[in-house]
Amino acid sequence: MKLTLNQRISLISLAGMLVAGFVVSQIYMNKKSREEIKEIAQELALLWKERLLLDEEQTSRMEDLIIEYTLKKNEIINSSMNPIAQVRKLKGIQKAEHRNLGKVLSKGQFEKYLNINKEIRKKS
């Protein structure tokens, strides 16, 4: 079956509209997800501010790190790689996160951060 020029143009236009619709929906969902992550990161940063006695700059940097590493972790968790590879990647991301947190927090604050995280994991 051979398509006429008008049929081909119509088919290509329809395909283009479908792709455009998909792209717009992905952008919307991604934007909504990022907004939710940002809200959660703000709340977490404020909790850490209280618990670790952070100043404003530390709180802001903590929020940025929470967003950055949450996005990275979600990407790994939502990937199709096998669970062992996911755990390996997540551990690597956590090491990088701790390294960067160590640059933002004082030594005492960082030790307190690690202890609080240990307690949270024990309760879970």
Side-chain angles (χ1 to χ4, degrees):
M1 173 182 184
K2 192 158 184 151
L3 299 175
T4 66
L5 179 60
N6 283 340
Q7 288 173 326
R8 280 189 254 162
I9 291 172
S10 295
L11 187 58
I12 291 170
S13 296
L14 178 61
M17 288 189 309
L18 289 173
V19 169
F22 176 75
V23 169
V24 168
S25 71
Q26 291 300 308
I27 290 170
Y28 173 77
M29 294 301 289
N30 198 3
K31 181 179 178 186
K32 187 173 182 176
S33 176
R34 286 180 186 262
E35 288 171 2
E36 290 173 356
I37 290 171
K38 183 162 177 54
E39 288 175 20
I40 293 168
Q42 287 173 334
E43 291 176 26
L44 286 173
L46 289 175
L47 284 172
W48 285 117
K49 178 181 182 176
E50 291 174 13
R51 289 183 169 188
L52 302 176
L53 305 174
L54 304 178
D55 62 31
E56 291 304 317
E57 183 181 340
Q58 287 175 309
T59 305
S60 176
R61 291 179 67 193
M62 174 74 91
E63 182 182 327
D64 292 342
L65 289 173
I66 292 169
I67 292 169
E68 176 184 349
Y69 287 100
T70 299
L71 291 172
K72 288 180 179 183
K73 290 173 187 175
N74 284 345
E75 187 178 320
I76 300 298
I77 291 167
N78 294 326
S79 74
S80 60
M81 67 177 72
N82 71 57
I84 293 171
Q86 282 182 333
V87 169
R88 193 176 315 117
K89 287 263 190 187
L90 288 170
K91 283 183 179 181
I93 289 172
Q94 186 175 25
K95 283 182 183 179
E97 181 180 21
H98 284 175
R99 194 170 36 253
N100 285 320
L101 279 171
K103 294 175 184 175
V104 172
L105 305 174
S106 70
K107 184 175 178 165
Q109 288 171 323
F110 185 67
E111 288 174 10
K112 189 172 181 180
Y113 169 84
L114 292 176
N115 289 330
I116 291 170
N117 270 332
K118 281 182 190 175
E119 291 299 318
I120 291 170
R121 275 188 250 133
K122 285 180 184 176
K123 290 179 183 178
S124 297

